[in-house]
Amino acid sequence: EGHRSAVINPGSTISEEAVIPILESILDAEGLSLKHVHFPKKWRADKSQMFDRFLQKYNRIMGSGTFTCAAKRGMAEKECGNRCYEGPLRYWVNREEGTQFGVHNFSCYDCNNHFCPECVDEHIPRQACEKCEKKCCEECCEGPLTCDDCEETTCFDCTCISECHRCSRSTCGDCCLVFLCNLCSESRCSNCVPFLYCDHPGCFESNCMECGVRSSTREVEFCLECDQSYCAEHTILRQSCAEQIHNHDTFCPGCNNRAHQLVLEPPIA
């Protein structure tokens, strides 16, 4: 029978008393078929004696060289093939106090591949994502990345952490917004350079103020009526009189329509 991965819903309230005996019977069976178990967050948070005893047994069996290392080595990217053992300073599954209790140290939570002590640091991060609480190899998930402001560590799938090309700081969207300028194609954070971005629903055009000043077309501009910003495609040049044409006043479609209505239908005296 092929190796299996047991994923117990991390938010599940299923009791340890009901599941752990089943897992133990699988570990005791001849020809181990279990490859990975994603333990529920409640179990890891409660840290019961029953769960801790099971982890000791789980680590002893799973981290005893049962699996081979899946790391690719050399130009030919040949698999390492070494046996995977838990190290003297690192359990197969973490049993130390803290938020990492019950998290795998040598396994990828997505592809279920395992890595030997010599290769693990190159492929599996030491810190799990603080949102999904998983560790994934570099082939399955980019990251984890740490926000330089709030210092939260998350994988790329959970939180988009972007780097500013000006200050080289990496921040999440909750701490500081990072925009990609459509004119210079560089990412700038709002602390370094003010940005204009199109407020039209579904439009992602944006440019930094430096490019907006230099550019003759100015891809994104403010509507003079509502103070929202719109790209060239969603901005209408108001042409109700010669003065405004020369001033190049720009208005969003809604404000432009209202302005024309005022010109065409003046209020009754």
Side-chain angles (χ1 to χ4, degrees), residues 85-222:
Y85 296 92
E86 65 174 8
L89 301 178
R90 195 187 310 188
Y91 295 110
W92 188 261
V93 172
N94 195 0
R95 290 181 53 237
E96 297 176 357
E97 290 295 326
T99 58
Q100 302 289 305
F101 183 86
V103 174
H104 283 72
N105 286 321
F106 295 87
S107 310
C108 173
Y109 276 73
D110 279 0
C111 64
N112 296 326
N113 280 336
H114 305 291
F115 301 89
C116 68
E118 289 76 18
C119 298
V120 65
D121 286 334
E122 297 180 12
H123 297 273
I124 298 291
R126 282 184 175 265
Q127 184 77 10
C129 172
E130 293 180 14
K131 292 197 173 181
C132 66
E133 299 183 324
K134 297 192 300 183
K135 293 182 179 182
C136 296
C137 69
E138 55 187 7
E139 293 186 5
C140 291
C141 179
E142 183 179 346
L145 304 171
T146 302
C147 175
D148 290 330
D149 285 353
C150 66
E151 298 183 349
E152 183 179 59
T153 299
T154 60
C155 65
F156 190 79
D157 290 342
C158 289
T159 301
C160 183
I161 295 180
S162 303
E163 181 182 1
C164 172
H165 290 162
R166 175 66 60 84
C167 64
S168 299
R169 288 178 60 80
S170 298
T171 53
C172 66
D174 294 333
C175 293
C176 180
L177 294 177
V178 177
F179 295 95
L180 175 66
C181 178
N182 292 319
L183 297 178
C184 64
S185 299
E186 289 193 0
S187 297
R188 312 280 182 82
C189 71
S190 53
N191 290 334
C192 289
V193 181
F195 253 81
L196 288 174
Y197 54 91
C198 184
D199 288 313
H200 188 82
C203 183
F204 301 100
E205 292 291 333
S206 63
N207 62 255
C208 62
M209 289 294 288
E210 290 182 350
C211 288
V213 172
R214 291 196 301 266
S215 173
S216 58
T217 57
R218 295 195 64 179
E219 294 219 346
V220 179
E221 297 187 83
F222 280 111

